[in-house]
Amino acid sequence: MPKRRLLHMPDVVSLDTYSVILVWTAIAIYTLAFIVYAVDLSRRSQESIEQHDAAESRQREKVGALNAASASPVGVDSRAADSSAAPIGAAKAPRRVFSRIGTALTVLGFLMHLGGTLLRGIAAERVPWANMWEFAMTGTLLIMAVYLGVQFWKDLRFLGTFMTGLVVVLLGASSTFYVAIVPLMDPLKSVWLVIHVFVASLSTAFLALAFGLSVMQLLQARRERLAVVAAENGGGPKRSFLRTLPSAEALEGLAYRLAIIGFILWTFTLIAGAIWAQDAWGRYWGFDVKEVWTFIIWVLYAGYIHARATRGWRGTRSAWLAIVGFVAVIFNFTIVNMYFDGLHAYSGL
Amino acid sequence: MRRNADAPDESKMNPDSSDPRRPSDHFESAEPSASGASAASGAVSPALGVVGWARWAWRQLTSMRTALVLLLLLAVAAVPGSLFPQRSADPNGVTQYQSDHPDIFGFLDDISMFDVYHSPWFSAIYILLFVSLIGCILPRTKHHLKALRSRPPRTPARLGRLADFRSETVDVDADEAIDAAAKQLRGAGYRIERYDSPARGRRPATRSVSAERGYLRETGNLLFHAALVGVLVAVGVGGAYKYTGQRVVVEGTTFVNTLLDYSSMNRGQAVAEDALEPYAMTLDRFDVTYQPPGSNAMSQAGDFAANVTIRRPGGDETSGVVKVNSPLTIGGDSIYLLGNGYAPTITIRDADDEIIYHDSVAFLPSGDAQMTSQGVVKVADGLPEQLGLVGFFYPTVAELETGAYASQYGDLVNPLLTLDVYAGDLGIDDGTPRNVYALDPTGMDQLTGGDTGVESIELAPGESAELPDGMGSITFEDETPEGADSAQGSTESVKRFASLQVHHDSSAVWVLVFAMLAVLGLLVALFVPRRRMWVKAVETESGVELEYAGLARGEDPTLAAAVDQLAEKHLAGLGVAPEDPDAVVEPEEPDDTHDAGGPAAFDGAGAADGTSASATPPRPASETRET
Ligand code: HEM
């Protein structure tokens, strides 16, 4: 008996060790990507000035033409005043070398991250999301997957700094959650572990991206406000990477679309959790702390969706709701898991 | 081909009858005008009295803003329930909190901090929210049912002012072209209507088809909100018909499904005394495995399985297994495995060696993985005084340096039972219900352990000891079955118990059905685009000018592409290719701006002409003016 274990154990240990090494490599590469993306943002600041000069001359021509055609009086609208709202992925956009390097690094980091996560799953002989360390590993992997996947739809690389930064912080901090591989506790032996936790993590990934966009939206809205004021006072534009980003309104639209995907997945998480609770605890809902927080988050995002449709709440206010919602998501994952007593005692800590 | 990129006033038409009805503060509905405001303030003037006030209050309650505020309040109000232990989920936690914080407990209890989800204030919020919800969906449903039967609206006079617009002058028959367009649109799932107007004065004759699709979007939204009401109703009604009982069953014993046989039972108002399914259930064997010493998770227990036999009144017997995550269903009841532990079998004899007590007593695990357990034996009759024995059970005992005992491992390797004896009045004779797992030592004398100077009783399975004062003896029975594999050691020397929960809730399936309907409604409401399309043919001197325009209702990022597609397919069908596809003017404003901003182009605010024209190249008047 003991002999067999001696032969067997080192295998498992080393697989998990490789997994940890890969995850740390991923963190290192993400950190590099973060730096390169940050360089990209600072270059965008510079670009924004050059673009402005070009745009301004175009603007003058247009205004001239308009007046010539005796069209209606020209109002100074914020966008005309600072000609921001860069086309996303438009052909004439500069070839952002640093942005590309950042993305390439992120892909590389992602592959390491994926490898680390897969190895953990193989070593544990189950899905790699059954305790805090694994939730964090898989959750951040999905954040990166969604971030990279979304690039095929819209060029959102301006979020690169934000997303790589977020993942480095989350994954780095989660290393304190590390636990060795142990067999699953009985309540976790369920298909719902596979479905419920995965969908929750995927939802979190979409909400994370929406969160990043909402933060950008707030910054952009502030800059647009200031730009209008500056234009009225005859001041020039300030140099800012934000000037190369879509308008606040466009950012809001993007954030909303990602948030509703996250919301639908979260709704599904809630329902799947209730079904699982019915199997494991004998009732589908019992106001266990984790259930309560999942519900709070759901209601917050329902509030966000409503706010977007309510006059006076669209724009900045609804963006704050999206941010509060995501803070609640992170709170639910960290503080609630670690410090609140409840049935969801699966952090493995 | 020409394409408009700005979002001028034409697209800001006021919502018409086929539009979904929205609360007045929905961003798509018209901003209250000066006259509207005075009408509203008129409604609250005392002249209108109670009815006016009621109407005003109702309008407030069913507004988007109220719904939003109530949603946010609901989120905030749910928080305290996660900070304080709740009676419904964690009654022991509440008791614990009371003894830890006696000074603030009373106040917190007064404001329902331990029953948050049944508190008046929490209920007030969600009831208001659902009243608001019903008040919101009823008129919308009525309106939507009408809209479903209505025809697409008249083609706007100036299509060229819409955000998504193309035009093309070609040499075709106007009537045929519009017929083809109507057919194409109907094929694409649009509801269509022809609107033709003859030439009048200097205005040329126009033929057009107006098309609309995406009514499902509003259907989905209504389905979602109605399903939420369904969930609430199912939960509320179901609560009256459900029951949940708990019961500890020791290996080899039988439990009968009657109210009497439960250690605790919660049932809804509508559950009668005799409503429980008649059956008896015997726990034949309880299985559990422990991770071996030396592994990462030493002592972690798992693979719990309660093997049971069920007897129905008719006499038929079935056997089944209750596992975690896998309840056993009998009739409408589901049986869940909530916990397990050891139930040492104890025999007590009096001074004449007569057996006066013989039972397997469940000792509750105190929470560690090593299964140190605590229990109480109460002997009410047969001895000169009532006896209470309080003790610990260690499945694998080890002595700590302090001399105290602790369990080292969850399985039965080296079991030990220690007991302290109390004599006196158990306090059960007057019928007061007492917790069977605790002993109230008031009115009793401690005879062993503690400060008594008499050693506590310590027994391994099969051992006996004298009770103090020559009262008799106590035996810890070895329950190892005959013929058990002796190499296994003592692994079967002590019986185990399972803590089972019987749950009956036929509403759960309804809650699930409504929840799934809500998800379905959500998917439809958020992903089905609602849009209008128009194709118009205007006969001009140089040929027939075909105009294509689209209008998004709500978020619709793909509208521009859809208009392009419509135009291309239609022109191709007519056998005319766009003159020069490359000549399509790319919008000055990047696509993403109004694409993502979407419905801003439809806020019905009726902005003054030309406010947003500054970023757009001017259009030759002849192309758009058609009044
Ligand atoms: C139980 C509380 C409520 C929840 C959880 C909730 C949730 C939602 C969600 C998730 C959406 C977006 C999906 C969709 O468009 O169907 C939505 C939209 C909507 N809700 Fe609610 N809602 C609630 C109560 C209400 C109430 C009381 C009203 C009426 C005042 C209302 C009016 C609307 C409207 C008009 C929309 C469409 C928004 C748009 O045009 O984008 N909801 N709601």
Side-chain angles (χ1 to χ4, degrees), chain B residues 228-289:
Chain B
L228 291 185
V229 179
V231 169
L232 192 77
V233 170
V235 170
V237 174
Y241 293 93
K242 74 175 183 196
Y243 57 83
T244 304
Q246 265 116 26
R247 169 69 213 236
V248 162
V249 190
V250 178
E251 278 177 321
T253 64
T254 299
F255 133 80
V256 183
N257 193 28
T258 57
L259 284 180
L260 273 182
D261 230 9
Y262 282 100
S263 50
S264 77
M265 162 66 84
N266 280 316
R267 61 196 164 108
Q269 304 90 307
V271 182
E273 297 267 335
D274 56 355
L276 275 59
E277 298 263 341
Y279 58 84
M281 184 171 69
T282 307
L283 177 61
D284 301 323
R285 205 182 66 247
F286 188 84
D287 295 336
V288 52
T289 57

Side-chain angles (χ1 to χ4, degrees), chain A residues 256 263 298-299 301-302 305-306 308-309, chain B residues 21-23 26-28 61-65 67 71 129-130 132-134 136-137 140 217 220-222 224-225 228 521-522 525-526:
Chain A
Y256 176 73
F263 178 75
W298 187 78
V299 173
Y301 277 100
I305 292 173
H306 269 218
R308 279 258 315 158
Chain B
R21 178 173 171 145
R22 294 291 188 235
H26 189 276
F27 81 100
E28 277 182 10
L61 186 62
T62 55
S63 72
M64 287 298 279
R65 204 160 294 145
L71 275 172
L129 182 59
F130 274 86
S132 167
L133 181 56
I134 293 166
C136 186
I137 55 183
R140 281 173 54 193
R217 190 183 182 92
N221 181 297
L222 290 171
F224 168 76
H225 286 92
L228 291 185
L522 201 55
L526 292 173

Side-chain angles (χ1 to χ4, degrees), chain A residues 237-251:
Chain A
K238 284 235 211 63
R239 124 197 335 240
S240 163
F241 73 90
L242 289 169
R243 294 170 46 78
T244 65
L245 263 49
S247 70
E249 203 186 344
L251 287 167

Side-chain angles (χ1 to χ4, degrees), chain B residues 264-435:
Chain B
S264 77
M265 162 66 84
N266 280 316
R267 61 196 164 108
Q269 304 90 307
V271 182
E273 297 267 335
D274 56 355
L276 275 59
E277 298 263 341
Y279 58 84
M281 184 171 69
T282 307
L283 177 61
D284 301 323
R285 205 182 66 247
F286 188 84
D287 295 336
V288 52
T289 57
Y290 290 91
Q291 293 302 314
S295 64
N296 275 340
M298 166 177 164
S299 218
Q300 182 183 313
D303 302 325
F304 306 109
N307 302 278
V308 297
T309 305
I310 288 143
R311 240 158 276 112
R312 304 277 216 144
D316 56 330
E317 271 190 18
T318 46
S319 52
V321 186
V322 188
K323 293 189 198 171
V324 182
N325 272 319
S326 155
L328 184 69
T329 349
I330 307 172
D333 287 4
S334 299
I335 299 168
Y336 295 90
L337 181 59
L338 293 190
N340 72 97
Y342 292 101
T345 307
I346 291 164
T347 307
I348 294 175
R349 294 181 170 81
D350 65 12
D352 301 329
D353 224 21
E354 291 287 323
I355 294 180
I356 53 148
Y357 181 95
H358 177 82
D359 203 358
S360 298
V361 185
F363 273 50
L364 301 186
S366 47
D368 58 9
Q370 289 73 32
M371 294 292 287
T372 304
S373 311
Q374 276 177 293
V376 171
V377 181
K378 294 180 182 177
V379 187
D381 304 303
L383 291 176
E385 276 186 294
Q386 290 186 329
L387 275 198
L389 296 96
V390 184
F392 287 92
F393 175 72
Y394 311 92
T396 301
V397 74
E399 195 168 342
L400 301 177
E401 276 175 21
T402 59
Y405 290 130
S407 181
Q408 269 193 324
Y409 187 58
D411 207 353
L412 294 167
V413 175
N414 182 19
L416 183 76
L417 179 68
T418 66
L419 291 166
D420 282 330
V421 184
Y422 291 75
D425 180 10
L426 286 171
I428 51 180
D429 296 339
D430 57 1
T432 323
R434 299 277 174 183
N435 184 344

Side-chain angles (χ1 to χ4, degrees), chain A residues 5 9 12-13 58-59 62-63 65-66 69 71-77 79-80 84-89 92 153-154 180-190 192 246-247 249-254 256-257 260-261 263-264 267-268 271 275-290 292-293 295-300 302-314 317 321 331 336 340-341, chain B residues 24-32 64-65 67-72 74-76 78-79 81-83 86 88-90 117-118 122 217 224-225 228 234-235 242 244 291-297 300-305 323-327 336-338 501 503 505 507-508 511-512 515-516 518-519 522-523 526-527 555 557 588-590 592-593 595-601 603 609-618:
Chain A
R5 185 171 311 126
M9 288 293 277
V12 176
V13 168
R58 250 186 295 138
Q59 192 69 33
K62 250 190 276 172
V63 171
L66 245 150
S72 34
V74 181
V76 181
D77 106 331
R79 224 164 290 142
S84 71
I88 309 177
K92 60 179 183 241
W153 167 64
K154 283 271 147 79
I181 292 171
V182 299
L184 281 185
M185 286 187 273
D186 266 28
L188 293 182
K189 292 176 189 156
S190 164
W192 294 106
S247 70
E249 203 186 344
L251 287 167
E252 178 175 3
L254 292 169
Y256 176 73
R257 271 188 265 159
I260 57 174
I261 296 175
F263 178 75
I264 289 172
T267 310
F268 190 79
I271 295 173
I275 297 174
W276 189 4
Q278 175 86 333
D279 276 358
W281 301 326
R283 86 286 181 293
Y284 56 85
W285 191 264
F287 286 108
D288 174 61
V289 280
K290 197 81 181 174
V292 168
W293 275 93
F295 172 72
I296 290 173
I297 291 163
W298 187 78
V299 173
L300 282 174
Y304 166 71
I305 292 173
H306 269 218
R308 279 258 315 158
T310 305
R311 197 179 300 123
W313 279 79
R314 241 178 130 78
R317 276 203 202 179
L321 272 184
F331 183 84
V336 174
F340 286 35
D341 288 339
Chain B
S24 59
D25 59 344
H26 189 276
F27 81 100
E28 277 182 10
S29 57
E31 197 107 40
M64 287 298 279
R65 204 160 294 145
L68 174 56
V69 168
L70 287 172
L71 275 172
L72 298 184
L74 187 68
V76 173
V79 174
S82 70
L83 301 176
Q86 298 296 297
S88 54
D90 180 15
Y117 307 107
H118 302 104
F122 191 81
R217 190 183 182 92
F224 168 76
H225 286 92
L228 291 185
V235 170
K242 74 175 183 196
T244 304
Q291 293 302 314
S295 64
N296 275 340
Q300 182 183 313
D303 302 325
F304 306 109
K323 293 189 198 171
V324 182
N325 272 319
S326 155
Y336 295 90
L337 181 59
L338 293 190
Q501 171 172 307
H503 186 64
D505 182 2
S507 68
V511 176
L512 182 63
M516 296 320 271
V519 174
L522 201 55
L523 286 169
L526 292 173
F527 293 123
E555 312 273 339
E588 195 69 23
E589 209 74 6
D592 300 274
T593 324
D595 164 357
D603 63 10
D609 201 4
T611 40
S612 53
S614 56
T616 329

